[in-house]
Each structure stands twice: as structure tokens, then as C-alpha cells.
Amino acid sequence: MIGAFHERFGPTQQPRVFRAPGRVNLIGEHTDYNLGFVLPVALNLATYIAAAPSADGKLRIYSEDRREQREFDASSLGSVEPTRQWTDYPVGVAQELVRAGMPVEGANLLIRSTVPDGSGLSSSAALEVSSALALLAGREFDPLELARLCQRAERNFVGMPCGIMDQYISVFGRAHSAVEIDCRSLGHRLVKLPDGITFIAVNTMVKHALSGSAYHDRVRECASAVEGIAAVYANVKSLRDVSPEQFEGVAARLPEVVARRARHVVTEDARVNRFVEASGQGDVAAMGKLMVESHRSLQHDYEVSCVELDFLVDAALAIDGVYGSRMTGGGFGGCTVTLLRAGAAEAFRARIAQAYHQQFGLTPRIYSCEPSEGAAEVKNYETIPALA
Ligand code: GLA
């Protein structure tokens, strides 16, 4: 990667390299913007940025994967408008850094990523967080503030009203652990997963056009559920404040669709806590069951699944050694995550790929979900993957 940087920007400068991972969410879907609980792991799929100051005050951003370069005057970044292209992520982050009192100087950035785009593994957060580190260029910044700043970039500049999960786990990921995030307090605890199991993500290779607008719709529907419930329980500020029992008592007062959306969120929060408990007890059967319940709730109540995801879940459940499976991320395509016996992984990969290909004529990409470290400067360049 250093060689590629020198080739593009000249051999005189020694860049620093920063890495930020993608994630897979084990359970707790569409709960983050309802201030509830999520349980993601950071992946060893990550975005890498080699960066060095530029001599002429320009911010140049080159994406190796897209073979595209964009150039901005660092001094007038504040007036750049969103273009709905990949550069919106680094530019949005740069604007938020300036707003946070961190001036952005001219720099050359070369980006390489192994997080597949549009796959529900959070390539956007990986790009945001790695951009923030590259633009900070070693200046100190509080990690939680960094995650929040990147979330603001996505909300304000990219225009996606996302929760905090993806940016948070990209910053706070930990090898060998899942991370339970409390999206209200913004604290977390590390969750050790039982031995002898593994998680595998399977990519549908599709992303349906609905995903963006449906996300906005769900955010609105949840807000409207809160309004309806707060008319009865004045202390309810978000769906996080509602227990499943309390919810059933007021469900009939809500419009039917809104009630189903809220039911998903309220029961999903409870499932995260039960999943963490089951994990602590090594009860993998219970963990798997909760994942399947989560998927059914996303499929029928929250309605963010699709035929490809449903097929992958059902096909996985028929394969030997599988404890549970569900869609992961925003939905409408992207990946499923499957919990299975470690020894069953190889056969699982072959069988699920074959089943999916037979059904849809597509070869799914498959990723092992080894929990990895959160974002940081890369000190050992030998860990940087080759260009795909
Ligand atoms: C996307 C968003 C996250 C979260 C998930 C659904 O990945 O970026 O904030 O809402 O969808 O759980």
C-alpha cells in the first residue's frame, strides 16, 4: 500500500496508515436509533487509508477499489455539497472535524477496503472512521466523540438517519469479543462468546432499492409509536423505555403497522439481553433460537427482510451444525449471520453456496466473522491486505 501511495502521490513522502473495520451485528437490529441494545462484532474486513500532508493545500482522495480520485481545496471544504457518491463520507467527516475545532489541512489520501460495499457489513462506517483518523493524522481525539462525529457526518451530510452502532463498533471493536452497546448511555461491555462455535456471514449479493427510503420510514414509525405510548406512559421517551409486557397493554391503541414496528423493537431489545445471558452460560442452543426469533420479527413485524435473506436463513437452518441464523444490518439485501459449530463451518459454506446458487443463480460471498480490533493506526504494514 505504501508503494501504491508513492506511485500515485510521489516517492518523497512517508504516509501513515489507518485502519477501521466493518462489522457484523449478532443481534439487536434496528434498536440503536431507538436507544436500545445491540451486539455487534468488528470484522477483520476493514478500510485502510494511507495519508500524508500535501504541499499545496489540496485534499486529494483516491479510492484504489473504484480507481477514482477527487480533489478539494482544504480551505473551502466547508462549502462542498453532498454528491451522493463515496466521497460524501470523507468530506462529511472533514466538515464535522472542522466544526469540532479540528482544522483539516491539505493531504493526500489513498483508500483500500476489504469491506464489501452495500453488503450490510458497514462499509460506510469503516470509511468514515478511517477517514477521521487519517484527517486527524495522529492528533488526539476522544474515541466516543470520534464515533459520534462520524455518525453526525452520516446523518447531516450523507442524509442517512442512522443510529450509533456501526461507527461505535468500528471504533470500540475488540478481538475475541462481541460488544454489547447501550445506545442510550453509550457505554458498552465486552461479551465473551462460548468456545467451539463460530459465526459466518453470507452475502445475498443484492441490495434492493427500497433500503434507503424504508429506513427513513422505520425511523418515523418508531417515533410515532413513542408518541402513542407516551400518551399513556408519560415517562416513555423512546422505545427503549417500554417493556414487552407494557407494550402489549398499549398495542391496541396504535395503528396496526406502527404497533408491529414497535413490537419488533421492544422484543428485540429483550432478545439482546437474553442472548448475552445465554452466551455467558454457554447455552448455544438458546442463542441460536433467539437469532431465529429476531429474524422472524424483522421479517414479519419490522418488514425489512427480503426473499433472498429469508431463503438464506431457512436454508442455513436445514444444515448440520447450525444453531441459528438471521439477517444482519439494515436489511433489504446484504448479509445473514449464522451461528454454528466451528467444526461444521466448511461443509456449511459449500452447502449454503450451492443452495443459494441453485435458487437465485448467484454465488454468495461468505465471510468468517472473527471478532477483531477497532480502528487504529497500523504499525505493522505486513498486516495490510493486498489490493483485491
Ligand atoms: C444500519 C444503520 C445502523 C442500524 C442498522 C440496523 O446499519 O447504519 O445504525 O440502525 O442499520 O440495525
Side-chain angles (χ1 to χ4, degrees):
M1 192 173 190
I2 305 298
F5 183 91
H6 285 153
E7 235 167 75
R8 175 145 290 264
F9 296 117
T12 48
Q13 276 183 320
Q14 205 43 37
R16 296 168 76 163
V17 181
F18 302 89
R19 166 191 178 276
R23 60 103 187 91
V24 69
N25 188 21
L26 302 184
I27 197 160
E29 218 62 82
H30 290 278
T31 47
D32 61 351
Y33 52 85
N34 291 297
L35 307 186
F37 297 93
V38 293
L39 187 70
V41 306
L43 295 174
N44 56 11
L45 303 169
T47 298
Y48 296 79
I49 302 188
S54 69
D56 56 2
K58 299 267 191 216
L59 175 63
R60 285 185 202 82
I61 314 177
Y62 177 67
S63 161
E64 276 192 324
D65 313 284
R66 297 177 184 81
R67 303 217 178 110
E68 279 176 28
Q69 181 163 314
R70 296 283 185 278
E71 201 176 293
F72 308 89
D73 275 321
S75 57
S76 54
L77 271 172
S79 57
V80 177
E81 298 282 339
T83 59
R84 297 183 166 276
Q85 293 180 6
W86 61 275
T87 43
D88 283 356
Y89 298 101
V91 171
V93 164
Q95 289 193 353
E96 290 295 338
L97 280 171
V98 173
R99 230 168 258 159
M102 289 287 171
V104 172
E105 312 288 347
N108 295 323
L109 269 52
L110 179 126
I111 306 176
R112 173 180 299 181
S113 187
T114 56
V115 192
D117 261 345
S119 60
L121 300 180
S122 197
S123 57
S124 327
L127 179 53
E128 288 155 7
V129 174
S130 55
S131 297
L133 291 183
L135 294 171
L136 282 166
R139 285 174 289 174
E140 290 271 321
F141 205 80
D142 178 74
L144 178 58
E145 288 311 313
L146 184 77
R148 297 179 65 184
L149 182 144
C150 291
Q151 182 199 20
R152 284 202 299 279
E154 182 144 354
R155 294 178 69 104
N156 299 341
F157 198 73
V158 179
M160 157 82 177
C162 64
I164 188 76
M165 167 166 69
D166 302 348
Q167 294 81 7
Y168 194 109
I169 186 65
S170 188
V171 171
F172 289 98
R174 200 53 99 63
H176 312 299
S177 277
V179 180
E180 185 187 16
I181 306 166
D182 178 334
C183 299
R184 172 171 276 160
S185 74
L186 298 183
H188 68 262
R189 59 174 164 154
L190 300 180
V191 175
K192 195 188 157 310
L193 299 163
D195 294 328
I197 56 151
T198 190
F199 290 90
I200 291 187
V202 182
N203 193 340
T204 61
M205 313 304 283
V206 300
K207 183 176 183 170
H208 296 294
L210 211 59
S211 59
S213 63
Y215 196 93
H216 284 81
D217 292 345
R218 295 301 176 276
V219 171
R220 269 194 296 272
E221 288 159 349
C222 289
S224 126
V226 169
E227 219 172 279
I229 299 171
V232 183
Y233 297 106
N235 65 325
V236 167
K237 302 276 181 272
S238 77
L239 290 176
R240 153 69 176 273
D241 299 317
V242 185
S243 72
E245 297 71 36
Q246 221 176 10
F247 173 74
E248 289 311 328
V250 294
R253 300 172 59 101
L254 303 175
E256 193 266 337
V257 170
V258 171
R260 280 194 286 122
R261 306 298 187 245
R263 180 174 290 114
H264 164 72
V265 174
V266 165
T267 57
E268 184 77 352
D269 266 334
R271 279 187 288 272
V272 176
N273 294 313
R274 282 159 61 203
F275 187 93
V276 169
E277 236 177 75
S279 180
Q281 295 161 353
D283 189 346
V284 287
M287 292 164 74
K289 196 162 163 273
L290 288 161
M291 289 174 75
V292 177
E293 281 174 28
S294 166
H295 184 77
R296 298 302 172 214
S297 176
L298 289 156
Q299 181 181 1
H300 302 301
D301 279 344
Y302 217 61
E303 295 183 286
V304 291
S305 187
C306 61
V307 288
E308 293 88 351
L309 287 166
D310 296 340
F311 177 86
L312 280 179
V313 167
D314 294 333
L317 295 177
I319 296 174
D320 192 44
V322 169
Y323 295 107
S325 184
R326 55 181 291 277
M327 56 157 275
T328 186
F332 298 103
C335 289
T336 58
V337 58
T338 298
L339 166 61
L340 69 167
R341 193 162 34 80
E346 215 180 294
F348 171 81
R349 284 172 175 257
R351 285 196 54 191
I352 198 84
Q354 192 200 13
Y356 193 70
H357 188 268
Q358 203 164 11
Q359 184 76 8
F360 296 104
L362 292 168
T363 303
R365 292 226 183 85
I366 300 179
Y367 319 94
S368 87
C369 303
E370 255 355 284
S372 81
E373 291 291 321
E377 180 165 8
V378 177
K379 295 295 185 190
N380 176 3
Y381 291 169
E382 273 163 29
T383 61
I384 302 172
L387 183 60

